[in-house]
């Protein structure tokens, strides 16, 4: 459902404050206490983020002015600076909270732009964008999308974008949101030392189309096991044809209708990559101290007579998929429990090699018991829907070892 974004100002004054700007695929960001908690967390962290940017902005502005690039991207500074969410706990806390709220990866960049300069020409992005102004002012111009809810980044020529639909000047503490595909450009007004803002982005490759691509392969695999029609060979030399034949098109259309009918009665959609990738690449839970509660189980050892509850619920995903054990030729379905408790904060969205998520796998017969843990505030181990007491104890012990449950 498409909703409206907005410009939020701590000062509650200024052009565009609280006004809807443009439609988005996200739910209305003004609905729900969790969203307001996230917005206020971003806004109220401005002082600490501003202090961080001030430590580096002098040389950054000089570099931007000297190279003529107009805007300087702090997280790509050619000195050995770690990511901002590693330097500043406030930004880690914000991004982790937003990843829980959206269920999607959240990244951030800090931009420092000299007076009278503009960093990038008009363009649109493939992410939902939140802009928090830290220092100085920045003038933003937004334009009607040429590709609504775009799936990729692209520059747009000035003669194609027309007149701005909105013109806004962000001051320290102001927050601006606009959806994927919104054409935009921003510049620092003359007469200021510089402008500093942080851009927080999310929902990249998180559309219904992406979700369909992620689930369709598993759905076809499961259906082919049950229906011999999908296991029949394609016509001879079909792959050599320049154009797809009418017969092949009708056959594929029939298969798609059959898959749609099967989908209607499916409770657990198989996820090929999206859930797994999200768990593997997101931030770990925000914590203070050494984070021992994320890596070493604590508290009472769970037993058959214990009452337990799931912890770090927003950092755990449950999915069903084929057994990934290469020694198992039958490829039976398994339940996978992926989590981000042991993820590394310093490699979040840094383009490192693909990593496997942390987690556990269980037989499909454990699904009902796992759902009980997910949906209950607390549950007795004895009441878990498993056949034997040994299975119940092994399940809770495995989850406790991964720091995913605690005894209450």
């Amino acid at each position: 459902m498409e909703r409206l974004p907005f410009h939020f100002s701590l000062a509650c004054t200024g052009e565009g404050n609280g006004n809807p700007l443009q439609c988005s695929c996200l739910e209305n960001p003004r609905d729900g206490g969790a969203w307001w908690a996230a917005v206020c967390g971003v806004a109220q962290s401005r002082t600490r983020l501003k202090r961080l940017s001030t430590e580096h902005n002098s040389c950054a502005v000089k570099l931007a002015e000297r190279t003529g690039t107009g805007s300087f991207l702090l997280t790509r500074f050619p000195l050995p600076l770690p990511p901002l969410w590693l330097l500043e706990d406030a930004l880690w806390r914000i991004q982790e909270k937003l990843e829980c709220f959206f269920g999607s990866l959240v990244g951030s960049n800090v931009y420092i732009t000299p007076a009278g300069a503009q960093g990038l020409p008009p363009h649109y992005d493939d992410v939902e964008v939140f802009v928090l102004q830290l220092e100085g002012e920045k003038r933003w111009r937004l334009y009607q999308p040429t590709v609504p809810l775009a799936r990729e980044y692209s520059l747009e020529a000035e003669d194609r974008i027309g007149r701005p639909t909105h013109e806004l000047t962000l001051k320290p503490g102001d927050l601006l949101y606009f959806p994927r595909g919104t054409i935009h450009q921003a510049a620092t007004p003359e007469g200021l030392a510089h402008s500093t803002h942080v851009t927080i982005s999310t929902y990249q490759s998180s559309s219904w189309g992406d979700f369909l691509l992620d689930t369709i392969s598993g759905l076809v695999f499961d259906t082919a096991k049950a229906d011999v029609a999908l296991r029949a060979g394609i016509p001879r030399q079909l792959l050599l044809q320049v154009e797809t034949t009418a017969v092949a098109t009708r056959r594929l259309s029939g298969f798609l209708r059959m898959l749609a009918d099967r989908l209607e009665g499916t409770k657990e959609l198989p996820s090929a990559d999206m859930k797994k990738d999200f768990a593997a690449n997101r931030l770990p839970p925000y914590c203070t101290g050494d984070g021992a509660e994320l890596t070493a189980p604590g508290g009472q050892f769970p037993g058959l007579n214990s009452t337990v509850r799931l912890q770090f619920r927003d950092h755990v995903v449950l999915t069903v998929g084929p057994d990934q054990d290469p020694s198992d030729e039958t490829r039976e379905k398994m339940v996978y429990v992926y989590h981000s408790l042991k993820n590394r904060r310093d490699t979040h969205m840094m383009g490192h090699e693909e990593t496997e998520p942390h987690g556990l796998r269980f037989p499909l017969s454990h699904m009902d018991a796992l759902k009980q843990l997910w949906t209950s505030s607390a549950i007795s181990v004895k009441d878990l829907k498993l056949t034997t007491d040994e299975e119940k104890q092994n399940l809770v012990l495995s989850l406790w070892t991964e720091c995913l449950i605690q005894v209450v």
Side-chain angles (χ1 to χ4, degrees), residues 193 271 274 291 384:
S271 174
M274 287 183 73
L384 292 175

Side-chain angles (χ1 to χ4, degrees), residues 124-260:
Y124 59 79
D125 297 297
D126 60 344
V127 289
E128 308 285 330
V129 176
F130 302 82
V131 178
L132 175 64
Q133 188 69 23
L134 302 179
E135 299 175 312
E137 298 180 4
K138 181 154 284 185
R139 186 72 174 173
W140 288 81
R141 285 178 285 175
L142 309 181
Y143 303 82
Q144 191 70 25
T146 53
V147 182
L149 302 178
R151 290 177 52 86
E152 58 188 2
Y153 168 92
S154 180
L155 299 176
E156 284 287 15
E158 293 273 4
D159 59 358
R160 287 195 63 202
I161 60 179
R163 296 175 58 84
T165 57
H166 296 85
E167 296 189 61
L168 307 151
T169 298
L170 297 190
K171 299 180 180 181
D174 285 3
L175 179 68
L176 172 66
Y177 161 73
F178 50 85
R180 289 170 289 135
T182 301
I183 302 169
H184 57 279
Q185 57 181 326
T188 303
E190 296 284 358
L192 299 177
H194 63 273
S195 165
T196 305
H197 77 266
V198 59
T199 293
I200 297 175
S201 57
T202 188
Y203 255 59
Q204 187 176 49
S205 301
S206 297
S207 67
W208 277 111
D210 295 302
F211 189 64
L212 180 61
L213 287 172
D214 185 62
T215 57
I216 195 71
S217 60
L219 186 63
V220 171
F221 180 83
D222 290 345
T223 306
K225 290 175 67 174
D227 194 317
V228 67
L230 280 173
R231 303 198 301 271
I234 60 176
R236 186 176 61 85
Q237 295 190 340
L238 177 64
L239 302 182
L240 301 178
Q241 301 296 321
V242 177
E243 295 182 349
T244 305
T245 65
V247 172
T249 301
R250 285 196 299 271
R251 196 74 183 273
L252 287 174
S253 297
F255 287 143
L256 289 173
R257 284 190 288 270
M258 178 178 65
L259 290 173

Side-chain angles (χ1 to χ4, degrees), residues 42-150:
V42 172
Q44 292 169 1
S45 298
R46 177 180 62 88
T47 301
R48 283 171 288 177
L49 294 176
K50 177 180 176 181
R51 182 174 66 249
L52 173 67
S53 68
T54 302
E55 295 175 4
H56 306 290
N57 64 15
S58 177
C59 58
V61 173
K62 290 179 181 178
L63 176 65
E65 292 172 332
R66 183 170 65 252
T67 60
T69 58
S71 186
F72 172 78
L73 179 58
L74 186 57
T75 51
R76 295 179 187 169
F77 190 50
L79 293 178
L81 289 176
L84 266 295
W85 51 88
L86 180 58
L87 283 171
E88 178 51 56
D89 283 353
L91 198 50
W92 173 21
R93 188 175 186 179
I94 292 165
Q95 289 183 229
E96 184 260 343
K97 184 178 292 186
L98 290 176
E99 284 186 339
C100 291
F101 180 79
F102 288 118
S104 180
L105 294 179
V106 175
S108 65
N109 292 315
V110 174
Y111 295 86
I112 299 176
T113 311
Q118 177 170 325
L120 294 169
H123 68 282
Y124 59 79
D125 297 297
D126 60 344
V127 289
E128 308 285 330
V129 176
F130 302 82
V131 178
L132 175 64
Q133 188 69 23
L134 302 179
E135 299 175 312
E137 298 180 4
K138 181 154 284 185
R139 186 72 174 173
W140 288 81
R141 285 178 285 175
L142 309 181
Y143 303 82
Q144 191 70 25
T146 53
V147 182
L149 302 178

Side-chain angles (χ1 to χ4, degrees), residues 298-304 306 308 393 397 400-401 407:
Q300 184 179 342
F301 189 87
L304 189 62
S306 301
V308 298
Q393 288 182 302
L397 180 58
W400 179 79
T401 304
V407 178

